[in-house]
Amino acid sequence: RALTQTRRNLLGVEQGHLLFLNGYIDDIILAAPGQGRTLIMLNALWSTCDRFGVKLAPDKASFGMRCTVLGFDFRLRENRFALTENRRHLFAAWFRRLRGLRGRRIPRAELQALAGTLVWARPALPGASRFYQRLFGLLNAPTRTLIQPPWLEFDLDHLEDILIETDGEALIRPPAAASEVGPAQMLWTDAARETGQPSAMGGFTAATGLLWKWTFHEQHIRHLPIHVLEAVGSVTALALSASSLRGQTVVSYCDNNAWVKSVQSGAPKDPRLRELLAIHHQICKEHDLTVHVKYVHTETNIVADAASRLRMEEAVTELQSKGWRPDQIQRLDLNAHPDRGPSDLVLLLDRMVQITKARNLYRKKLREHTWA
């Protein structure tokens, strides 16, 4: 009877005021003006039902379960949306064309069309904000034709990798349920870059009692800044502990804000941190890890700080003062036993040096061109 009365009340109601959601025993009436608002309300309804474990019949409310709007494929029951297959094919063809035209002049209008389409598809391309800024700066040139700069080649390859890996799906997910993180799920890392003294990185993994260190080579200290060394130490600690922490939520403590903010934002400006962040995500994906990188002050990060300065006895003494027995602590020198650590650690640091040299050379040429 109440349901019938509600339907009668809908007659004659202005469309602008037609926005409500009411429940009647085992039925739900949802009304909204326009397709867009209806999709938003359906998404909120299904998200709420999933959160509280309320089951809905899959054959009910077929509208909005999957629809295509402006090149996006919406799947609200699964709480996700992605680029349509046609749009992904368009981007792949565009990237192939630009790759074939590297080193040759291309019309500025073509890059303007690409920029407009990429901005429209921005929800499916997380971490591309910096690329958009550089691209619009390039399009402000007064010439009709442009030569692709080196950074465009790198960024387009990065965007193509994102589309291939995520299948054009925007990285929008319902918030994960809060999980308790105990001391056994914590990693502590640090790196030291001292003048005239051996510089190293080190850390401690509570799950296995692993206290490790690795001394940097001279060329790494000469070319790499401290925030890159700290990031390499954080990724190394994660690689050493990933197999023993599979499927868990982990907190990784680091005393360098540049790396912490890079992980938290997901869009570092430094190309070296972007590459290290991609490795970080790959390790998490392979071992089903949820890793939260958080900042810790150096005065609190006592054990990792001592290991990074090659004072292992001091680190062991600090652990024993916290209740660790000597038989629970495993010492590991990755320089003496490289087989027990990541096999490509030296290659990774050499890659960071290579990016640094290429970046400095590009900046030097840019300055020379500016002052010429």
Side-chain angles (χ1 to χ4, degrees), residues 52-186:
F52 291 97
V54 178
K55 295 183 179 181
L56 296 179
D59 57 337
K60 297 289 186 69
S62 59
F63 171 74
M65 291 182 63
R66 181 172 183 176
C67 61
T68 301
V69 180
L70 297 177
F72 279 100
D73 182 20
F74 287 80
R75 303 180 185 181
L76 297 183
R77 285 298 295 268
E78 303 172 20
N79 200 21
R80 53 187 286 258
F81 69 95
L83 291 174
T84 60
E85 185 177 353
N86 290 339
R87 292 292 181 176
R88 296 198 301 270
H89 176 74
L90 172 64
F91 281 124
W94 222 328
F95 294 155
R96 283 197 304 269
R97 171 174 168 76
L98 291 176
R99 190 179 294 113
L101 293 176
R102 284 174 185 168
R104 299 166 57 185
R105 287 192 171 273
I106 56 177
R108 185 178 62 171
E110 183 168 348
L111 281 180
Q112 288 176 337
L114 174 62
T117 309
L118 285 174
V119 170
W120 162 83
R122 187 173 180 173
L125 297 170
S129 301
R130 184 69 174 175
F131 166 69
Y132 295 133
Q133 296 176 12
R134 290 195 293 261
L135 182 58
F136 283 115
L138 176 65
L139 295 176
N140 285 331
T143 58
R144 292 186 177 182
T145 59
L146 299 168
I147 296 180
Q148 299 181 53
W151 58 261
L152 182 62
E153 174 183 349
F154 174 82
D155 285 351
L156 289 179
D157 290 343
H158 179 61
L159 293 179
E160 189 172 20
D161 291 340
I162 292 178
L163 290 174
I164 293 174
E165 182 179 353
T166 64
D167 201 22
E169 178 183 344
L171 300 184
I172 296 180
R173 294 285 188 276
S179 57
E180 296 184 0
V181 178
Q185 286 82 40
M186 295 183 182

Side-chain angles (χ1 to χ4, degrees), residues 165 187 189 230-239 242 250-254 259-260 262-264 266 268 272-294 348:
E165 182 179 353
L187 308 177
T189 62
E230 293 267 13
V232 172
S234 179
V235 172
T236 302
L238 185 61
V250 181
V251 176
S252 178
Y253 289 103
C254 175
W259 172 243
V260 173
S262 296
V263 179
Q264 292 176 351
R272 296 161 295 189
L273 296 186
R274 285 202 297 267
E275 192 150 329
L276 290 171
L277 183 60
I279 298 173
H280 174 92
H281 289 328
Q282 184 64 28
I283 296 173
C284 295
K285 182 178 179 181
E286 290 179 357
H287 297 85
D288 191 23
L289 291 173
T290 301
V291 179
H292 302 287
V293 179
K294 296 185 178 181
L348 175 61

Side-chain angles (χ1 to χ4, degrees), residues 352-369:
M352 296 297 105
V353 173
Q354 182 184 22
I355 296 177
T356 303
K357 291 181 177 179
R359 189 185 189 191
N360 294 339
L361 180 61
Y362 174 73
R363 288 179 173 178
K364 180 180 178 181
K365 290 183 177 180
L366 184 62
R367 286 194 299 268
E368 293 175 353
H369 176 74

